[in-house]
């Protein structure tokens, strides 16, 4: 994971952790008819999804996706191993 990925992923965490310290959020206020803390949490939940999608997209574009590793890595598979469960039980 690169530093910019960590930066993208840390923004929602900082938003959630700052909730009790922000007077415009942590008070007897209503936003859209709901308590401000609830709206704040929903916004940061959506922000978390967006941030993780951005991290995933940039990691795939940068070629850092571990799932794209080739399956035919030498020494990773046993050529004589049975592929079928019935063959393995024989």
């Amino acid at each position: 994971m690169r530093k910019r990925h960590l930066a993208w992923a840390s923004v929602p965490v900082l938003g959630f952790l700052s909730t009790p310290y922000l007077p415009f959020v942590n008070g007897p206020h209503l936003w859209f008819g709901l308590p401000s803390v609830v709206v704040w949490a929903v916004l940061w939940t959506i922000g978390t999804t967006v941030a993780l999608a951005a991290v995933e997209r940039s990691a795939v574009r940068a070629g850092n996706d571990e799932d794209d590793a080739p399956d035919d890595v030498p020494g990773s598979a046993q050529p004589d191993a049975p592929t079928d469960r019935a063959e393995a039980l024989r």
Side-chain angles (χ1 to χ4, degrees):
M1 182 180 285
R2 293 185 178 172
K3 288 185 180 182
R4 67 180 168 154
H5 296 153
L6 187 60
W8 272 104
S10 66
V11 169
V13 172
L14 293 174
F16 276 119
L17 290 177
S18 66
T19 301
Y21 304 108
L22 299 173
F24 63 91
V25 175
N26 192 13
H29 312 293
L30 292 179
W31 295 350
F32 307 111
L34 295 170
S36 58
V37 174
V38 172
V39 176
W40 184 259
V42 168
L43 290 175
W44 282 114
T45 303
I46 294 168
T48 301
T49 305
V50 171
L52 291 176
V55 168
E56 178 68 21
R57 184 170 298 160
S58 65
V60 170
R61 285 184 183 167
N64 294 336
D65 192 18
E66 295 174 3
D67 294 336
D68 290 341
D71 293 333
D72 56 324
V73 175
S76 65
Q78 299 173 358
D80 297 333
T83 57
D84 188 14
R85 183 175 171 89
E87 290 177 21
L89 296 175
R90 289 184 196 169

